[in-house]
Amino acid sequence: MTGRVTANPTLAHYQAHAAHYADLLADHDSATARHRFLAQVGGTALRLLDLGCGGGRDLIGFRDAGAEVIGADGSAALALIAAERTGCSVEVVDLLSTDPVPWEAAAFDGVWAHHLFFHLPSAALPFVLSRLHGWLRPGGVFYACDPVGDGLEGMAPDGRYLAFRRPQSWKAAVKAAGFCLIDEWRRPEGQPRYQQNWLATLWRVPT
């Protein structure tokens, strides 16, 4: 997998620096958000998708909580690291590609996308969110957490695409894809409001 070539500059960046990011983010605290997500998904024998799983940190959290979890990342190198560290199945998926994904429609009870969507152009959101909606079962839950800002987006000097959307723009895009908002909060939790530059949102597919 590590030899796979991508024309997506953001994925190429993470492919080239996979080990660095896998180690850098291994201790990032997402446990509270995972618990809130799982509480909304509910039930037992859950099947989850960790979209943009990176080095596999949250795969471990969901696996240890008893869920069947599959990882997906656009970087083949990060996908390989995640699979080796977690023992979970991890697929290489470029969300901006029209290539078919290696799972069926309505395959998951929940889709987790922590720090992923700010790497996607706003123009691509209808396409990506529509596909994601189709991967969830009726009543399924979608979580996302990304930085917010004044709407600025474009290529960063390191080659990654970065989008700092206004909260209302992000929520409007997800609602337009057919999701219903369950909950939202700012991160990092416990910090002053002016330092909480990340918005976490939980959504449900109507039954």
Side-chain angles (χ1 to χ4, degrees), residues 184-198:
E184 62 179 286
W185 67 97
R186 292 293 188 118
R187 290 177 51 90
E189 295 179 73
Q191 297 299 315
R193 179 66 175 78
Y194 69 89
Q195 294 181 353
Q196 294 178 316
N197 298 320
W198 295 73

Side-chain angles (χ1 to χ4, degrees), residues 108-149:
F108 300 104
D109 300 296
V111 174
W112 169 270
H114 192 70
H115 300 184
L116 168 67
F117 274 85
F118 77 114
H119 285 315
L120 303 180
S122 290
L125 291 184
F127 168 71
V128 176
L129 290 168
S130 176
R131 296 183 84 195
L132 193 155
H133 189 284
W135 301 336
L136 281 162
R137 296 165 181 158
V141 176
F142 163 48
Y143 163 89
C145 180
D146 294 287
V148 294

